[in-house]
Amino acid sequence: MTIPEHQVAFHARIREWPVVDADDAAGSDVAALEAALYGSMANDPANGDLACLDGAPVKQLLQGVLTGSPYLSVLMRRDPARLVRILSNPPEQELAGYKARLIADMAAATTQPDAMRALRGFKTNVALLTALADIAGVWPVMTVTGVLSDAADLAVQTAVRFLFRLAVEKGDWQAADPLTAADDSGYIVLGMGKLGAGELNYSSDIDLIVFYEKSKGLTRSGLELQTFLVRLTRDLVKMLQERTGDGYVFRTDLRLRPDAGATQLAISVDAALVYYESFGQNWERAALIKARAIAGDRAAGEALLAELAPFIWRKHLDFAAIADIHAMKRQIHAFRGIGAIGVAGHNVKLGRGGIREIEFFTQTQQLIAGGRQRELRGRRTLDTLSTLAERNWIAPAVRDALTESYLYLRRIEHRLQMVADEQTHEVPRDPARLEAFAAFAGYASAAEFARAYIPVLETVQTHYAALFEDMPELTTQGVNMVFAGQDDDPDTIAALRTMGFSQPSTIIATVRGWHHGRYPAVRSPRARERLTDVQPLLIEALADTADPDAAFGMFDRFLSELPTGVQLFSLLRANPGLLRLVADIMGSAPRLARVLSRRRRLLDAVIDPRTFEALPDADEIDAVIAADLARATDLQEALDIARIVGSEQAFLIGVRVLSGSINASQAGQAYATLAERLIAALLAVVETELAASHGTIPGGAACVIAMGKLGGREMTASSDLDLILVYDHDKDADASSGPRPLAPAQYYARITQRLVTALSANTAEGKLYDVDMRLRPSGQQGPVATRLSSFVRYQAEEAWTWEQMALTRARVVAGPAHLVSRVDQSARDTLIRPRERSKIATDVLEMRARIAADKATTDIWDLKQVRGGLVDLEFMAQFLQLVHAADRPDLLDQNTLRALEKARDAGVLSSSAADILIPACRLIHDLTQVLRICSEGRFDPATAPRGLKEVLARAGDAPSFAALEMTLRRTLSDVEALFPVIIA
């Protein structure tokens, strides 16, 4: 009669053992161990049958373990009697005894330390038994993984029951039977990953997710359910993974739960269902394939998994999942060009041809077809491979090859972990350690091990490659990065550091948050799919900026303000040039980044090649403004539309400067053109609105004079508007023609006030410009609108020198042609009057001294006020025009640079001085444009993004920022030295 194998003693079932050297010193260790074993027998004959020690297989096994595994050696020596029992009894019988003892001990435990001691004793017993059974070939590898998984299940189950029993005894939980309180508690513990599949490896962590049903909560009055269950979960983790003098049970990981960085350890079922329905990702679908209710209220757990089935298993063939799963794998270990198959240092799990590739191969097929073919919804890898072959998804030969490879690699994985009970998957790199490991794994040498190991990896790689052979690379450099899952992958940390990120863990956590839908832009599954596709390219582009951390941080803020991300990610994926430009904006132009986040349609304009071919002229700007304003149904809507158009067009000007397609002079002209066309359009809007209520003034008309930077066509992204409104009307007009008549002065004051509001008021779309009207006649004391005759008289008889200097930049930008020509002529007549040079020089020097006393600075980056800066350049250009225009009217020009060039050409500015002032004017205007486009507030080189400093260096035609600063200091000094020479 044949005895069933499960009734045969361990020692009689030994089939293999590590390779040992007959001269190895471990022989003496075996003798010492045998002596201890005989001693244990003498002390207690019930411990086992010492005859089990007589056979050569046992001696070979013990010597191999003592040589190859310090961890198992300790366990064997610690309790010789236990070793005898293991060797002399059927392993199934020993295992059953361990389980029964744990259940009894946990039911009897009265304190947490008692329970923790019982759990650790159980784990140690199982660890030694399964290791010896695996090494000796007594149990096949999948039996070992099943035993380890069952042991983990029982440990978690008994720990949960113990904690609920204590809670009932304490009065925190209400239940009739403390021993079964957990079973109908609504407290769900799901085993994930290898635990869920029953495939736990030897030193594996256990991945758990904890949910709870609110409706089943039975906490005492005043104790909030989630608070209680989160605390209980913390105690559960402590019981399982805290290291004590008795060791630990299992390292426990709860990071597979929904949005682990932002959620509690225990999550309500309702919240979980909302999360998975709204934000669940393909990697979470893949993870949930293996999910299994292992402890607590297992019936509720199975019901939850049934509810999640539509999320995990989609009805239609989900071929898009191939790309997503492959992206996960390539992020873990890039498929092409990174990390060759090898032996020393190879990762048996994550490396090429490793266990993870077999798992991904299998799970991908499940995700594709499991929605329609329920047979493919299995948890176990090898069972699923068999089903895939049966359903003709893969060839039987592929199934057989991958099955054989999987079993082999799992055995190697176990050997690696049995050496020191470490969660490692890497084959030793050190030659001596590699030789020792090869012997422990049953090979005569490392070379022999390599001959067996490498073909297995190559087989897996071949089949995995065939699954994804048509997939394009997600990066241009093959950067090895993983953001999916719950762990910070060490290779990803290293790759991000190499790319230039100083805080890689922060980068990983932020990207993980995007995939958890923390921003509106990434709430939809489609947006997250597009993000997965473009993500490596995006990271690479941000890394290529001068300051990757700053660029990434700005992109994260940008993304947080977007209402949707599908269009953005699709555009970035399809347009590498746009991706590069967006990265540059994030790295060096925070102001543009903020505009971009509010104006999504700007992306469409940026990818239009015509954007960079030429700047729009006034007529084209008018057409854009008119087309959009035509949609307005009232004044408020018109103001909002004007702000949208203004911010978008200003953004495109800034992008042109940043990309180098226009220079600072062209940018100043473009900003000015935009501003004057908006002024003209809004003047027409407010005139129409006022006329509707108050009629019109007979023969009346108004025009807007631009002063300062707008008048000089030197505007920047942050310039305000210096304006004067001048009007005129028939001599006998005394009131407007409407039902509510206004006197002319009051009428045009209303127009002025409404125009200022139209330009500067904050609406839901922000504001267009700050407006300054202090340059009008009599300044703040004068009326906000000035009649032409008063304007002419004031300029001829009362204007101060500084007001006449300001008038050199006056330019009419809106109004009817007949009034524009009269105003222009009056300003010109004022400027070409003869003046006494010495008086003008004295006034200019006094004015500059007052400004210096009030706003003195030594900061070279305060380009306006620092000596030798913009104020000095403008004063010199204006002085030369005032004192020479009577003889040379052709000197007049509102633009500072052109005024200096005209002064040079007319001979009123020496060539040597012009050679200093004209390049200085260009340099300072170039730098000012970049600073105003890219940043807000004071520029501090010590804290400014490196990208911005590099853009400034390019704008200043300098080889480096340090060289630029040297050039700027020298330029400012030269201009300052010329100031008293010219103004004299």
Side-chain angles (χ1 to χ4, degrees):
M1 177 179 175
T2 302
I3 301 175
E5 187 175 53
H6 68 272
Q7 296 179 12
V8 176
F10 186 109
H11 69 89
R13 290 160 61 178
I14 296 175
R15 295 182 175 88
E16 56 190 68
W17 47 82
V19 172
V20 294
D21 188 338
D23 299 327
D24 196 287
S28 60
D29 293 335
V30 173
L33 179 59
E34 288 181 342
L37 295 175
Y38 281 104
S40 68
M41 184 65 181
N43 293 331
D44 186 357
N47 280 338
D49 182 3
L50 285 176
C52 69
L53 303 176
D54 294 338
V58 170
K59 295 182 185 296
Q60 293 277 63
L61 173 65
L62 295 180
Q63 185 171 348
V65 171
L66 289 169
T67 302
S69 172
Y71 169 68
L72 295 175
S73 298
V74 170
L75 293 187
M76 291 193 301
R77 293 187 180 105
R78 179 184 298 167
D79 188 350
R82 174 178 57 196
L83 177 58
V84 174
R85 288 193 300 271
I86 290 173
L87 293 172
S88 59
N89 294 319
E92 294 80 6
Q93 175 184 315
E94 282 296 295
L95 179 63
Y98 298 157
K99 290 180 175 180
R101 189 178 316 142
L102 176 65
I103 293 170
D105 289 346
M106 292 295 283
T110 58
T111 66
Q112 206 169 103
D114 290 340
M116 291 170 68
R117 195 173 303 112
L119 287 167
R120 281 151 183 76
F122 170 71
K123 169 61 187 301
T124 301
N125 289 338
V126 172
L128 181 59
L129 174 65
T130 54
L132 293 176
D134 193 344
I135 295 169
V138 172
W139 281 339
V141 66
M142 297 315 295
T143 298
V144 173
T145 62
V147 168
L148 291 169
S149 302
D150 290 344
D153 285 0
L154 186 60
V156 177
Q157 291 164 12
T158 56
V160 169
R161 286 175 180 157
F162 168 80
L163 289 170
F164 268 94
R165 175 165 61 85
L166 284 194
V168 172
E169 292 170 356
K170 185 180 177 182
D172 286 346
W173 189 265
Q174 302 169 27
D177 184 358
L179 293 175
T180 60
D183 297 352
D184 192 33
S185 62
Y187 182 78
I188 300 164
V189 182
L190 297 185
M192 307 293 290
K194 286 185 168 58
L195 173 59
E199 298 169 345
L200 211 59
N201 59 53
Y202 186 75
S203 293
S204 181
D205 298 352
I206 57 172
D207 291 298
L208 306 178
I209 303 181
V210 174
F211 299 112
Y212 63 89
E213 286 275 13
K214 290 182 180 179
S215 61
K216 289 190 172 184
L218 296 172
T219 51
R220 62 172 167 78
S221 177
L223 179 57
E224 202 273 327
L225 178 62
Q226 186 179 50
T227 300
F228 167 76
L229 293 177
V230 167
R231 188 174 64 232
L232 186 143
T233 304
R234 286 201 183 97
D235 286 342
L236 173 63
V237 172
K238 175 185 175 181
M239 290 180 68
L240 294 173
Q241 77 174 15
E242 184 176 275
R243 289 185 180 272
T244 70
D246 300 304
Y248 72 105
V249 190
F250 291 100
R251 290 174 294 269
T252 305
D253 196 331
L254 296 171
R255 289 175 294 170
L256 283 179
R257 69 185 185 274
D259 199 1
T263 54
Q264 295 279 15
L265 297 182
I267 304 169
S268 74
V269 166
D270 292 340
L273 292 172
V274 169
Y275 170 84
Y276 287 121
E277 178 182 345
S278 304
F279 310 125
Q281 300 158 59
N282 273 332
W283 74 263
E284 290 174 304
R285 291 176 62 202
L288 284 168
I289 287 175
K290 295 179 180 293
R292 179 171 57 87
I294 65 166
D297 193 335
R298 282 182 278 180
E302 293 301 331
L304 171 59
L305 290 174
E307 282 197 76
L308 288 175
F311 164 68
I312 305 169
W313 309 109
R314 297 179 181 172
K315 291 182 180 179
H316 304 289
L317 295 180
D318 190 9
F319 287 101
I322 290 184
D324 212 4
I325 295 298
H326 189 40
M328 291 163 54
K329 179 61 182 74
R330 277 185 294 176
Q331 290 167 7
I332 291 173
H333 196 293
F335 174 65
R336 297 183 186 91
I338 295 180
I341 281 178
V343 178
H346 186 268
N347 192 306
V348 70
K349 176 182 178 182
L350 303 180
R352 279 193 178 187
I355 295 167
R356 183 58 58 87
E357 288 191 354
I358 300 174
E359 293 173 336
F360 275 3
F361 179 97
T362 307
Q363 290 170 353
T364 300
Q365 311 296 321
Q366 290 182 279
L367 288 176
I368 291 169
R372 305 183 85 180
Q373 298 181 12
R374 300 183 67 88
E375 312 91 282
L376 292 176
R377 299 184 182 184
R379 297 185 177 101
R380 297 176 184 270
T381 302
L382 297 185
D383 291 347
T384 303
L385 282 172
S386 294
T387 306
L388 286 169
E390 291 168 7
R391 302 290 299 185
N392 296 318
W393 280 92
I394 61 175
V398 174
R399 172 201 59 203
D400 296 343
L402 291 180
T403 297
E404 183 179 347
S405 299
Y406 184 79
L407 293 172
Y408 177 84
L409 293 172
R410 291 303 305 269
R411 289 184 71 250
I412 297 302
E413 177 185 45
H414 284 185
R415 292 296 185 279
L416 289 168
Q417 295 174 350
M418 287 172 185
V419 173
D421 189 30
E422 293 175 338
Q423 176 66 332
T424 182
H425 300 90
E426 286 194 359
V427 176
R429 295 177 183 274
D430 176 73
R433 290 183 58 223
L434 178 56
E435 288 289 346
F437 173 73
F440 185 51
Y443 294 95
S445 66
E448 183 179 312
F449 169 57
R451 285 193 292 272
Y453 184 57
I454 288 178
V456 173
L457 302 178
E458 291 174 340
T459 295
V460 174
Q461 183 192 21
T462 297
H463 293 300
Y464 184 77
L467 184 64
F468 301 113
E469 60 187 3
D470 295 326
M471 289 292 167
E473 285 291 351
L474 290 183
T475 71
T476 58
Q477 299 178 7
V479 176
N480 174 18
M481 294 183 295
V482 56
F483 299 97
Q486 76 276 25
D487 296 321
D488 285 0
D489 178 63
D491 289 341
T492 304
I493 295 286
L496 289 171
R497 285 196 188 280
T498 300
M499 296 170 75
F501 294 100
S502 65
Q503 302 292 328
S505 291
T506 301
I507 303 297
I508 293 172
T510 302
V511 174
R512 193 175 291 138
W514 296 345
H515 284 284
H516 284 300
R518 291 185 186 169
Y519 300 146
V522 286
R523 294 265 163 86
S524 73
R526 185 173 178 80
R528 291 192 298 277
E529 288 173 5
R530 292 291 181 269
L531 170 61
T532 298
D533 198 32
V534 77
Q535 177 178 289
L537 293 174
L538 175 63
I539 296 295
E540 182 182 329
L542 294 171
D544 282 343
T545 61
D547 190 340
D549 291 299
F552 182 88
M554 181 55 69
F555 183 83
D556 179 55
R557 288 190 289 276
F558 161 67
L559 192 62
S560 73
E561 296 174 1
L562 280 180
T564 178
V566 173
Q567 180 193 33
L568 169 68
F569 301 138
S570 299
L571 282 172
L572 294 181
R573 186 70 178 94
N575 298 274
L578 176 62
L579 184 63
R580 174 74 266 167
L581 180 61
V582 167
D584 284 341
I585 290 172
M586 299 306 156
S588 56
R591 176 192 288 272
L592 293 182
R594 278 186 280 275
V595 176
L596 186 59
S597 67
R598 295 192 300 269
R599 310 279 183 232
R600 288 167 292 142
R601 72 181 188 180
L602 289 172
L603 292 169
D604 295 319
V606 169
I607 64 175
D608 185 344
R610 294 172 298 175
T611 296
F612 298 97
E613 289 176 359
L615 285 164
D617 59 24
D619 290 341
E620 290 172 314
I621 294 292
D622 282 344
V624 171
I625 295 172
D628 283 352
L629 284 179
R631 297 185 286 106
T633 58
D634 56 28
L635 177 62
Q636 185 59 54
E637 189 173 0
L639 299 189
D640 286 338
I641 289 172
R643 279 149 179 75
I644 293 171
V645 173
S647 64
E648 290 181 354
Q649 292 299 318
F651 171 86
L652 294 176
I653 296 169
V655 166
R656 291 180 175 100
V657 173
L658 196 63
S659 67
S661 65
I662 63 173
N663 59 32
S665 175
Q666 292 170 305
Q669 174 73 51
Y671 282 124
T673 300
L674 173 63
E676 62 191 58
R677 303 325 302 153
L678 285 166
I679 291 169
L682 290 173
L683 176 62
V685 168
V686 298
E687 285 180 327
T688 300
E689 190 216 13
L690 192 69
S693 301
H694 302 285
T696 59
I697 300 292
C703 68
V704 178
I705 304 174
M707 313 288 282
K709 290 189 179 302
L710 174 55
R713 297 182 177 88
E714 298 167 355
M715 281 190 69
T716 70
S718 62
S719 293
D720 58 10
L721 305 181
D722 292 297
L723 303 179
I724 299 173
L725 189 134
V726 174
Y727 66 91
D728 204 8
H729 52 80
D730 291 346
K731 289 183 179 179
D732 55 356
D734 58 1
S736 61
S737 60
R740 296 160 56 193
L742 296 172
Q746 187 180 13
Y747 186 92
Y748 287 106
R750 291 274 184 92
I751 285 180
T752 304
Q753 291 161 346
R754 294 187 182 192
L755 176 62
V756 170
T757 298
L759 291 167
S760 62
N762 267 309
T763 74
E765 298 293 339
K767 67 179 177 181
L768 280 171
Y769 304 99
D770 288 319
V771 177
D772 190 339
M773 301 200 70
R774 289 176 294 177
L775 290 178
R776 68 185 186 271
S778 301
Q780 293 180 332
Q781 305 304 315
V784 293
T786 305
R787 190 171 181 182
L788 177 59
S789 57
S790 298
F791 178 78
V792 172
R793 183 174 58 254
Y794 181 85
Q795 295 295 342
E797 301 173 4
E798 302 178 40
W800 294 67
T801 297
W802 69 266
E803 291 176 296
Q804 294 172 2
M805 293 170 65
L807 195 63
T808 63
R809 311 191 75 183
R811 184 169 59 88
V812 183
V813 296
H818 70 274
L819 182 58
V820 168
S821 63
R822 292 169 62 195
V823 173
D824 277 340
Q825 188 60 51
S826 69
R828 182 180 177 82
D829 290 345
T830 300
L831 291 173
I832 62 175
R833 288 199 335 260
R835 288 176 174 80
E836 183 182 343
R837 181 182 182 116
S838 61
K839 180 183 184 308
I840 300 299
T842 298
D843 288 348
V844 172
L845 291 172
E846 287 180 356
M847 191 185 319
R848 187 66 182 97
R850 286 197 301 271
I851 292 174
D854 186 42
K855 300 180 179 180
T857 180
T858 58
D859 180 7
I860 65 171
W861 290 103
D862 187 345
L863 295 169
K864 179 178 181 179
Q865 298 296 344
V866 68
R867 292 313 305 256
L870 277 177
V871 169
D872 284 355
L873 288 165
E874 290 169 356
F875 274 23
M876 284 186 275
Q878 292 161 12
F879 171 80
L880 291 171
Q881 290 179 86
L882 287 180
V883 299
H884 293 290
D887 299 325
R888 297 294 303 268
D890 56 313
L891 284 177
L892 294 176
D893 201 295
Q894 296 98 342
N895 182 270
T896 303
L897 178 60
R898 287 199 296 272
L900 290 171
E901 290 173 336
K902 288 182 176 181
R904 176 200 59 196
D905 296 342
V908 301
L909 178 66
S910 69
S911 295
S912 59
D915 288 345
I916 292 173
L917 296 182
I918 291 173
C921 191
R922 288 196 181 100
L923 174 64
I924 292 174
H925 275 129
D926 285 347
L927 298 180
T928 300
Q929 283 291 359
V930 170
L931 286 175
R932 297 299 177 262
I933 287 168
C934 294
S935 64
E936 297 172 336
R938 176 178 172 269
F939 173 73
D940 180 1
T943 58
R946 192 165 73 248
L948 175 52
K949 290 192 282 190
E950 290 191 2
V951 172
L952 285 167
R954 289 198 300 271
D957 197 23
S960 68
F961 183 76
L964 173 66
E965 286 202 305
M966 292 177 61
T967 299
L968 180 58
R969 287 184 189 279
R970 184 174 61 252
T971 299
L972 294 173
S973 177
D974 291 345
V975 172
E976 182 182 7
L978 276 176
F979 190 82
V981 175
I982 290 174
I983 301 179

